Amino acid sequence: MLKITYFGHSCFLIEGNQGKVIIDPFLSGNPHVKVKPEEIVVDAILVSHGHQDHLGDAIEISKKNKAPIIGIFELVRYCEKNGATLTKEMNIGGSANYNFGEVTLIPALHSSSAPDGTYTGSPCGFIIQMERKNFYFAGDTGLSMEMKLTGELYNIDVAFLPIGGHYTMGPADAATAVEFLKPKLAIPMHYNTFPEIKQDPADFEDKVGDLAKVKVMAFGETFEL
Ligand code: NI
Ligand code: MN
C-alpha cells in the first residue's frame, strides 16, 4: 500500500508499508497548510535544496521524529550546524537504501542557498523507489535534457513536477518534461502559493494531453496508489 498526501507547494508525504517519508516540508509560513510541523510523523525527511520554501521545517521534524534529513552533502551539513542531529548526506547520481525504500539524487536546474545565504550545494531532485514503484520528485527546476535520460533509466510511476513558472518551469515546459520522463501519472506542484507562481493546473493538464494521467491534488488531499 502506498499513500500520497499533498501539503501544498512542493511538500508531499509518501507512506508505504516499510515507512513514511516527507519531502520538502515547507509547512510554517505556507498559508495553505493546516497541519503543524509537530504533528508530522515520519521516518525520513528529503530536502531538495536550501531555499526556505523547501527546507522549511525539516530540522524541527527531524529532531521530533529522530528521523534523518536526506539530501546533498552541503545542505545536510548546514542542517547539522543548525541543530539537526540525524542526517544522511548523499550526492548526485548516488543511491542509498533506507528502511522506507531507495533514494537516488538527480540533478535539478536551479540554485541553492540557505535562508542565511549559506551555500547549500547543488539543487537536486529525487528518484524514490518504494514497493517497486518509482517516484520522480523534480524539486525546483527548469526543463532539462537530463530528464530525457532519467526517463530512459527509470520506469517512472509518479512524477511530481513544478508548474508555477517564474522560479521554475511553467505548464508548457512541465508538459515537455512529461514527454521526456514518460511517467504513468504526473502531479503538479509549486504553484499558487505566492502571486508570482499563480497558475491554473488545468492548463498543465491540457498540455499533457494523452502523454500521462494528471492528478491535481487539493491541499491536504490524500490518495492511495
Ligand atoms: Ni528554490
Ligand atoms: Mn521553490
Side-chain angles (χ1 to χ4, degrees):
M1 182 227 51
L2 284 164
K3 259 170 37 179
I4 300 170
T5 301
Y6 183 44
F7 289 124
H9 205 55
S10 296
C11 181
F12 292 89
L13 174 73
I14 308 176
E15 299 173 79
N17 293 323
Q18 314 305 324
K20 301 177 186 185
V21 58
I22 195 164
I23 313 168
D24 284 0
F26 170 50
L27 305 175
S28 305
N30 181 342
H32 303 299
V33 173
K34 288 182 186 76
V35 70
K36 292 188 177 68
E38 54 268 31
E39 294 168 40
I40 299 292
V41 177
V42 286
D43 298 286
I45 302 101
L46 265 57
V47 183
S48 65
H49 64 294
H51 294 157
Q52 181 57 28
D53 59 320
H54 299 264
L55 179 62
D57 303 292
I59 294 171
E60 189 190 331
I61 294 169
S62 168
K63 280 198 215 164
K64 176 98 197 308
N65 288 271
K66 298 185 171 58
I69 295 175
I70 300 169
I72 203 157
F73 180 84
E74 292 85 354
L75 173 62
V76 155
R77 278 292 141 86
Y78 171 84
C79 292
E80 283 169 2
K81 274 194 187 135
N82 286 276
T85 47
L86 266 167
T87 55
K88 297 283 184 191
E89 62 195 37
M90 298 182 65
N91 218 314
I92 290 167
S95 303
N97 280 299
Y98 301 100
N99 60 343
F100 62 86
E102 190 180 50
V103 176
T104 305
L105 258 62
I106 55 168
L109 211 54
H110 193 64
S111 64
S112 182
S113 57
D116 67 2
T118 305
Y119 167 69
T120 45
S122 293
C124 57
F126 302 104
I127 296 286
I128 307 154
Q129 296 178 282
M130 289 171 76
E131 292 169 37
R132 274 173 270 136
K133 297 278 185 202
N134 288 328
F135 296 92
Y136 171 94
F137 180 86
D140 276 3
T141 187
L143 179 65
S144 83
M145 287 303 285
E146 313 289 347
M147 292 171 179
K148 217 164 194 171
L149 177 63
T150 304
E152 279 166 26
L153 292 176
Y154 297 94
N155 191 357
I156 299 167
D157 293 285
V158 182
F160 302 101
L161 299 170
I163 65 155
H166 197 101
Y167 303 109
T168 67
M169 54 190 181
D173 281 358
T176 305
V178 170
E179 194 187 319
F180 288 175
L181 293 160
K182 300 173 286 193
K184 292 184 184 74
L185 179 70
I187 298 177
M189 63 179 185
H190 210 271
Y191 67 97
N192 288 355
T193 317
F194 317 114
E196 293 86 352
I197 57 172
K198 191 172 161 42
Q199 293 290 348
D200 181 356
D203 186 24
F204 170 65
E205 207 169 349
D206 285 350
K207 288 181 164 73
V208 170
D210 296 332
L211 292 172
K213 277 188 202 156
V214 172
K215 185 165 180 67
V216 176
M217 294 186 74
F219 303 124
E221 183 183 349
T222 299
F223 82 97
E224 230 173 276
L225 198 64

